């Protein structure tokens, strides 16, 4: 690992926490209705929206109604995306004349964007019209992220309220998350990205002469078609909302989507800033400020070592190349290490950090190709997803996922100190355990079973491009990514056939809604309970000991569930390369 | 709270118990019973499956793995199930032994049924089994009480050793808080008229037998929640191992090397991964918790109550009997003006010589300590003793025309006035002073002459202050409840070191206090014996009724203390906590164990396809078969090894939660992670020596 990589990582995490704290506190104020300045500016718009949609903002919902509103809204979004994709040929803002998206891909994409996964089995610039990109995909980028933040607010109410039947109003939470948090941040980021050269236009494409003149007789060469479109506006929310679905097929490795070192750092920063900030939001909402630090500590404490694993594995290079006399040492002239699938502009440090951050958060955007990573370098992102997307995780979803792990950790710890477990003053009983277990269980099940089917049926194995253990990793990665709503692709696997479109689509649905509903059920059940006063016999949840316990639970569950699968994928591949 | 609660009186492995438990372990293999415990049920299904695989391989000669290996694995899987059954049977056996002893007390006797609730009513002889609620019976000296009931008339000494194990007889009388009798106990003297309060089959003794036998054991809420966690883990591992077959098949076809992982190995891996250690010991821990209560002579009406005891955050403690000894002690003689202290001591001693109350005896002791005043023979002196009565509220002695009296201030004042004297103002002030300090003043007079005041003090039980301090560390608040005035209460509270006190408490106020604490989210424990305690007992989360108490109190509580020792509440809390801690610690241990098993089995399972995975064989196990067998054997033996811990419970000392957690995480978490490595290695070496 080089000094520049370490410096980049250090600056990155320091800034993340430095800006995460104020942003997190701000989000908490938004939900408490105490963000005065923002409310003065955006309040009138918020009220107009409520009036137009007939929402009564002070109306409270029980958890079931909250869940139904959320599901109905998401289903509607899913149908809208599907319809726009299928009908885009007939609709305006289609300068390059794209036809209807094939139905398996359209279904897969609709699910993918509604669930905040942004798994892409299509190339954006060659499949989607501008209208689809803007009205279908970008809109879902906003509302799927807002859905996650809304859930955090609802769950917090479950912990804070005492003997209450309701957990807030979904429409209000959704509107506030979008209006006060996601829109302003996206606006600022988009403008900045445009300043760096990210394209933003309604034009379709331009054809330019290449620098290299055409070889005689070779048709078409000498000219190049450059796809253009409203990229910056989609890019900002794609990064901030842990969506990750790029405008271009190669995502943020594309020079128009990520032109400079500045744009790269900011896009990278945008991946984790909201998940990081929400830790502090949580601390403020449940009135245990130190808990915010514990949560971010757990997340960073798991992520940073894995960033280092990825960086050092990549920097170490490929031992198979060395006997051929390849110089893979880092120097002023080159990054060294394993540069296959990476942009020379970004090098190893930036690429490995992005790979780890994008899979830790359920973002899934990429600036390098994970399939080309060394086995252990690729295992870090793979395992980060398998941990259940709770290390930062999706906007909102990472935090509530981690809190479900906390329920399990607290349960065990409570038993070990001889008390019926309680978390933040709420007793944890069979119902909460059942729901938390579902949240932890279902995405893992989807990964394991999906991968098993994928590695048995011919439609699954037929599109695997690499032999042996690496091919297995490709299948495992696809199911890990979709079941945990990450959306990044390992590549090396053809996923546009009916089997993968359907199977991965289903995994995305399971991974999202079979988690959301139990989380809301927990919120509802907790809201109904009385608060237990803390005594010396209560296990405090805002201490390093608790952080250790929580991190241990996440890691142990992740390891015990996936070690056998990982052993047959990246681990054995690594051992084969390093006998 | 430490030693006595944690150590059962019965030795852990009694020969007869073990023999019976071994038999029971096989009887418990019945799948219908196993299905109650999903973790062990999976192991049983796995054992049956591998046995079938073995039979298939043996008969057809075409198995997926070597027949001897499949046989060895399936045998050890059966052992795993049997060991878990044995743990449960051992725990139950200890209860059963107790139940048998109780059953001997439940003899069918001839009851003398009375037509009317009077001693001289018409008697009809009938079998005790035919008695119903509301019947009235006569029980005379030498008779066994035919059923649970309330004394309507009479006073008698009763031998309750069949139930309490306490051989000293107790007095039972009608009215008041000592009016309940229990079926199976024996009246030693006098007679009682008893109104039966329980139908046969639902008497105290019946319930007790059912409880200790665990016949009607229901899962407690916490057991259910833990069960969900264990079932979830089992499902995860089930899926993780089943899908491994697909992955392995893919690996074989992609590399063209080796054979897919065998079913035998997959079942072995599954059993090693699912939390069999805690799954196998869970019910034993619960039963043992109840059993520890029984050993402490506390009868919990349900496992739920035992569990709640661990959660208690407020203890409401009656002052008298719990915090202070029931009696007071003389600590000083405070003479009236013009009286020598020795003179006062002499008179006080004289008036107390025949007084058998602890207070009276303490005066005699104090007089002896201060002035070497020896006891005198009352008869030789020709003295006449005047006993204490509720009307006079004083006692004393008539001797040579002297009338020496001691008693409550007002009573003595009246007595002095009747004798033509006047109570000196100084004595009056002394009395008020002492009362303010929380002490009990006793005036002594000789005829019209007031001699002075004896200072009687409530005696706080030895060591109670330390125990309260420990409880405070564990986050449990102690609240003293007393009918005394606030000054008295404050003084005792300060001396005993309770967190809070409530003075001048009536039974209704007790109920109110409990409700208030519960509203704040506390779990409240209390003890009580009187009928007027019943509403408060019913309201409290953990309510320990004294066995000497009334039937109403016993019905309202969820525990009965057979020793009727209110301080036992502290032990009850300890046992409850210990049970939860044992569960938590063994769960952590069980899960932490899995790491080592992966290291043993994963390289072995895929040795034919990916020999490179041998790099993970950190223990250097010598062959794939021995590695898998070693893991399976360790997994089975650890259950046996932990039975004593499950039955005894993990060590409990009151301490702040983080400290307890750190300790248990270190022992059971880190220990569970590391311990299996050397042991699996040792088993592997042993297997190697045997030629495996």
């Amino acid at each position: 690992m080089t000094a520049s990589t370490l410096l980049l990582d250090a600056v990155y995490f320091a800034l993340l926490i430095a800006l995460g704290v104020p942003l997190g506190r701000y989000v908490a104020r938004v939900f408490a209705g105490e963000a005065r300045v923002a409310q003065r500016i955006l309040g009138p718009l918020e009220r107009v929206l409520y009036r137009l949609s007939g929402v009564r903002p002070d109306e409270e919902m029980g958890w079931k109604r909250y869940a139904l509103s959320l599901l109905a809204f998401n289903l509607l979004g899913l149908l809208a995306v599907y319809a726009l994709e299928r009908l885009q040929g007939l609709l305006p803002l289609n300068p390059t004349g794209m036809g209807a998206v094939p139905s398996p891909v359209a279904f897969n994409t609709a699910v993918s964007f509604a669930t905040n996964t942004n798994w892409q089995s299509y190339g954006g610039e060659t499949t989607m019209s501008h209208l689809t990109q803007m009205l279908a995909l970008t809109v879902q980028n906003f509302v799927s992220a807002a859905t996650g933040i809304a859930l955090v607010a609802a769950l917090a109410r479950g912990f804070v309220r005492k003997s209450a039947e309701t957990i807030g109003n979904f429409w209000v939470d959704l509107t506030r998350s979008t209006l006060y948090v996601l829109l302003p941040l996206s606006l600022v980021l988009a403008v900045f990205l445009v300043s760096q050269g990210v394209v933003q236009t309604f034009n379709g494409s331009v054809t330019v002469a290449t620098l290299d003149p055409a070889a005689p007789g070779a048709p078409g060469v000498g000219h190049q078609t450059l796809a253009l479109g409203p990229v910056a506006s989609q890019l900002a929310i794609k990064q901030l909302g842990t969506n990750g679905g790029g405008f271009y097929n190669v995502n943020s490795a594309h020079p128009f989507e990520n032109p400079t070192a500045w744009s790269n750092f900011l896009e990278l920063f945008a991946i984790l800033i909201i998940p990081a900030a929400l830790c502090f939001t949580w601390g403020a909402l449940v009135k245990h400020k130190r808990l915010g630090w514990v949560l971010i500590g757990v997340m960073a404490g798991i992520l940073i070592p894995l960033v280092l694993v990825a960086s050092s594995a990549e920097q170490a290079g490929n031992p198979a190349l060395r006997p051929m006399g390849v110089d893979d040492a880092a120097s002023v002239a080159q990054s060294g290490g394993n540069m296959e699938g990476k942009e020379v502009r970004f090098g190893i440090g930036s690429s490995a950090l992005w790979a780890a951050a994008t899979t830790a958060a359920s973002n899934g955007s990429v600036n390098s190709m994970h399939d080309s990573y060394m086995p252990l370098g690729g295992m870090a992102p793979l395992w980060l997803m398998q941990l259940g997307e709770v290390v930062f995780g999706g906007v909102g979803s990472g935090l509530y996922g981690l809190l479900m792990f906390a329920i399990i950790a607290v349960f065990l710890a409570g038993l070990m100190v001889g008390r019926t477990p309680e978390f933040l003053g709420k007793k944890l009983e069979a119902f909460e355990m059942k729901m938390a277990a579902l949240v932890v269980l279902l995405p893992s099940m989807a990964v394991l079973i999906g991968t098993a089917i994928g590695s048995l049926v011919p439609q699954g194995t037929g599109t695997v491009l690499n032999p042996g253990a690496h091919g297995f990793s490709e299948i495992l990665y696809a199911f890990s990514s979709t079941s945990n709503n990450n959306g990044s692709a390992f590549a090396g696997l053809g996923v546009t056939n009916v089997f993968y479109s359907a199977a991965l689509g289903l995994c995305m649905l399971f991974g999202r809604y079979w988690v959301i509903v139990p989380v809301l059920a927990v919120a509802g059940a907790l809201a109904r309970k009385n608060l237990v006063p803390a005594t010396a016999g209560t296990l405090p949840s805002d201490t390093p000991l608790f952080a250790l316990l929580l991190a241990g639970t996440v890691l142990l569950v992740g390891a015990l569930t996936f070690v056998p699968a990982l052993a047959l994928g990246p681990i054995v591949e690594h051992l084969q390369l390093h006998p | 709270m430490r030693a006595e609660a944690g150590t059962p009186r019965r030795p852990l492995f009694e020969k007869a118990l073990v023999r019976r438990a071994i038999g029971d372990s096989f009887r418990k293999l019945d799948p219908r019973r196993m299905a109650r415990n999903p973790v062990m049920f999976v192991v049983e299904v796995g054992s049956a499956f591998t046995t079938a695989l073995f039979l298939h391989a043996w008969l057809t000669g075409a198995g997926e793995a070597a027949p001897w290996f499949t046989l060895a694995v399936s045998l050890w899987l059966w052992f795993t199930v049997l060991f878990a059954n044995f743990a449960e049977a051992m725990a139950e056996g200890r209860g059963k032994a107790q139940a048998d002893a109780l059953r001997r007390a439940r003899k069918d006797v001839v009851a003398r049924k009375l037509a009317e609730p009077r001693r001289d009513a018409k008697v009809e002889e009938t079998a005790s089994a035919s008695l119903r609620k509301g019947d009235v019976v006569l029980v005379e000296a030498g008779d066994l009480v035919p059923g649970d009931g309330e004394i309507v008339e009479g006073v008698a000494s009763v031998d309750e050793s069949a139930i309490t194990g306490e051989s000293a007889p107790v007095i039972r009388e009608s009215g008041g808080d000592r009016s309940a009798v229990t079926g199976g106990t024996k009246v030693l003297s006098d007679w009682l008229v008893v109104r039966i309060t329980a139908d046969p089959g639902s008497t105290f003794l019946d319930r007790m037998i059912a409880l200790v036998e665990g016949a009607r054991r229901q899962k407690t809420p916490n057991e259910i929640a833990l069960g969900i966690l264990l079932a979830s883990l089992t499902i995860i591992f089930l899926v993780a191992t089943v899908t491994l077959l697909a992955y392995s098949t893919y690996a074989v076809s992609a590399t063209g090397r080796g054979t897919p992982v065998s079913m035998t190995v997959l079942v072995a891996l599954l059993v090693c991964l699912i939390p069999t250690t805690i799954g196998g010991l869970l019910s034993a821990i619960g039963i043992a918790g109840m059993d520890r209560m029984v050993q402490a002579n506390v009868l919990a009406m349900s496992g739920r109550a035992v569990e709640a005891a661990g959660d208690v955050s407020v203890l409401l403690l009656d002052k008298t009997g719990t915090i202070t000894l029931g009696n007071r002690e003389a600590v000083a003689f405070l003479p009236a003006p013009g009286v020598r202290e020795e003179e006062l001591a002499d008179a006080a001693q004289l008036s107390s010589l025949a007084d058998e109350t602890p207070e009276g005896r303490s005066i005699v002791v104090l007089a002896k300590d201060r002035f070497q005043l020896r006891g005198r023979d009352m008869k030789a002196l020709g003295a006449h003793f005047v006993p204490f009565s509720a009307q006079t509220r004083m006692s004393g002695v008539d001797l040579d025309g002297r009338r020496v009296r001691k008693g409550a201030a007002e009573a003595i004042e009246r007595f002095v006035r009747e004798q033509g004297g006047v109570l000196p103002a100084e004595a009056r002030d002394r009395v008020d002073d002492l009362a303010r300090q929380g002490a009990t003043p006793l005036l002594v007079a000789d005829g019209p002459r007031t001699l002075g005041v004896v200072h009687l003090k409530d005696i706080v039980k030895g060591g109670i202050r330390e125990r309260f301090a420990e409880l405070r560390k564990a986050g449990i608040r102690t609240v003293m409840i007393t009918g005394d005035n606030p000054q008295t209460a404050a003084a005792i509270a300060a001396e005993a070191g309770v967190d809070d006190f409530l003075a001048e408490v009536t039974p209704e106020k007790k109920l109110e206090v409990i409700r208030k604490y519960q509203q704040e989210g506390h779990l409240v424990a209390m003890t009580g014996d009187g009928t007027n305690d019943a509403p408060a007992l019913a309201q409290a989360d953990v309510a320990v009724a004294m066995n000497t108490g009334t039937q109403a109190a016993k019905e309202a509580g969820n525990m009965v203390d057979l020793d009727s020792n209110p301080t036992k509440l502290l032990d009850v809390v300890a046992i409850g906590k210990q049970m939860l801690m044992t569960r938590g610690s063994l769960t952590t241990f069980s899960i932490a164990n899995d790491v080592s098993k992966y290291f043993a089995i994963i390289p072995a399972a895929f040795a034919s396809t990916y020999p490179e995975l041998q790099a993970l064989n950190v223990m250097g196990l010598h062959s794939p078969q021995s590695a898998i067998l070693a893991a399976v054997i360790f997994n089975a033996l650890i259950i046996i090894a932990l039975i004593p811990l499950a039955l005894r419970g993990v060590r409990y000392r009151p301490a702040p939660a983080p400290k307890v957690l750190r300790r248990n995480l270190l022992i059971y978490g880190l220990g569970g992670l590391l311990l299996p490595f050397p042991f699996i290695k040792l088993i592997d070496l042993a297997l190697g020596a045997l030629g495996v």
Side-chain angles (χ1 to χ4, degrees), chain B residues 267-319:
Chain B
V267 173
L269 178 62
L270 173 65
V271 171
C272 283
L273 292 179
I274 61 176
T276 47
T277 313
I278 179 67
L281 295 174
L282 187 58
S283 59
I285 294 170
I287 298 167
M290 297 278 282
D291 188 48
R292 272 200 297 282
M293 286 282 186
V294 172
Q295 303 281 352
N297 255 352
V298 174
L299 209 59
M301 293 305 164
S302 66
R304 189 186 288 250
V306 181
E307 223 164 62
D311 282 347
V312 161
S313 52
V314 172
L315 293 185
L316 293 188
L317 301 165
D318 270 326
K319 185 198 78 177

Side-chain angles (χ1 to χ4, degrees), chain B residues 387-394:
Chain B
F388 179 86
S389 80
Q391 280 78 43
T392 60
R393 295 180 63 205
M394 57 187 181

Side-chain angles (χ1 to χ4, degrees), chain A residues 379 382-383 386 472 476 558-559 562-572:
Chain A
M379 187 170 85
L382 179 57
W383 197 46
Q386 291 171 339
F472 177 71
L476 181 63
F562 291 105
V563 157
L566 291 173
L568 296 181
I571 294 176
V572 74

Side-chain angles (χ1 to χ4, degrees), chain A residues 411 415-420 430 437 441 445 448 452 455 461 472 530-531 533 535-537 539 560 564 572 575-576, chain B residues 222 226 228 232 236 239 243-244 247 250 310-311 473-475 519-520 522 577 580-581 584 588 598 610 612 657 661 664:
Chain A
F411 182 80
L415 284 186
M416 272 192 284
V417 300
R419 264 175 86 111
T420 298
L441 207 64
M445 298 291 98
L448 290 172
S455 54
T461 53
F472 177 71
N530 199 353
L531 276 167
T535 68
L539 185 70
L560 292 180
V572 74
L575 293 172
Q576 285 170 335
Chain B
N222 182 267
L226 182 57
I228 290 168
S232 309
I236 287 192
V239 173
T243 53
L244 212 46
Y247 305 164
Y250 178 85
D311 282 347
K473 270 193 258 158
Q519 216 103 65
E520 291 167 15
H522 287 286
K577 278 198 182 297
L580 292 177
M581 279 167 63
T588 308
Y598 269 137
Y610 289 129
E612 296 89 350
L661 178 63
N664 285 340

Side-chain angles (χ1 to χ4, degrees), chain A residues 248-568:
Chain A
Y248 293 106
N249 192 19
V250 294
N251 213 298
S252 282
H254 195 291
F256 288 174
E257 199 160 325
N258 188 3
T260 67
W262 275 113
S263 71
N264 188 63
F265 188 83
L266 245 92
E267 287 178 26
L268 188 47
F269 187 72
I271 292 176
L272 290 189
I273 182 64
I274 296 182
L278 285 177
C279 293
F280 301 105
T281 305
W282 182 263
L285 285 178
V286 300
K287 301 187 174 59
H288 275 76
K289 289 233 164 98
R290 283 177 54 187
L291 183 58
W293 288 97
V294 164
L295 293 170
I296 193 103
V298 169
M299 291 180 174
I302 296 175
L303 176 56
I304 291 173
L306 286 169
V307 168
L308 297 180
V309 165
S311 314
S312 53
E314 294 311 301
Q315 195 66 57
N318 189 339
L321 295 179
R322 229 159 282 144
M324 302 175 198
V326 173
D327 171 21
D328 63 358
S331 69
V332 183
Q334 63 169 19
S335 301
N338 172 37
M339 278 299 288
E340 184 195 313
K342 295 186 184 65
E343 277 282 297
V344 179
R345 295 180 293 145
F346 305 137
I348 284 175
S350 246
S351 301
L353 177 57
W354 187 304
T358 197
T359 47
S362 77
N363 186 289
S365 65
V366 293
N367 73 346
S368 58
M369 294 303 123
H370 298 177
D371 194 28
S372 302
Y373 275 44
M374 298 306 297
L376 291 188
M379 187 170 85
L382 179 57
W383 197 46
L384 275 166
M385 295 187 295
Q386 291 171 339
L387 289 180
E389 287 298 4
V390 297
V391 179
F392 292 96
V395 166
S397 64
L399 185 65
Y400 61 69
L402 185 63
L403 289 167
M404 294 300 118
F405 270 99
I407 287 181
I408 293 177
V410 165
F411 182 80
L412 267 185
L415 284 186
M416 272 192 284
V417 300
R419 264 175 86 111
T420 298
E422 61 204 52
F423 185 37
L424 295 172
K426 296 282 186 164
K427 277 225 174 325
L428 302 177
E429 289 159 300
F431 183 76
E432 290 78 26
M433 271 316 289
K434 213 180 285 177
M435 294 301 122
L438 275 183
V439 170
V440 173
L441 207 64
L442 283 170
S444 303
M445 298 291 98
V447 175
L448 290 172
I449 295 174
T451 308
I453 297 172
S455 54
L456 283 182
V457 299
Q459 294 93 323
T461 53
T463 59
V464 175
L465 300 182
N466 293 80
H470 197 73
F472 177 71
S473 298
E474 287 164 354
I475 303 176
L476 181 63
Y477 195 104
F479 282 98
S480 300
S481 173
T482 48
S483 303
N484 290 295
N485 296 129
N486 180 277
S488 72
F490 208 42
L493 181 70
V495 288
T496 49
N497 65 16
V498 176
F499 168 73
Y500 277 117
S501 291
L504 297 175
L506 285 176
C507 283
M508 289 188 262
L509 287 174
F510 286 152
R512 180 76 168 177
Y513 301 110
W514 281 22
V515 168
I516 283 182
V517 175
V519 167
L520 282 172
V522 168
L526 290 178
R528 249 176 246 138
K529 297 188 183 195
N530 199 353
L531 276 167
V532 181
T535 68
T538 315
L539 185 70
S541 56
D542 50 5
T543 60
L545 179 69
F546 181 77
L548 208 68
L549 185 78
L550 179 53
T553 308
V554 171
L555 291 174
L556 199 64
V557 170
L560 292 180
T561 312
F562 291 105
V563 157
L566 291 173
L568 296 181

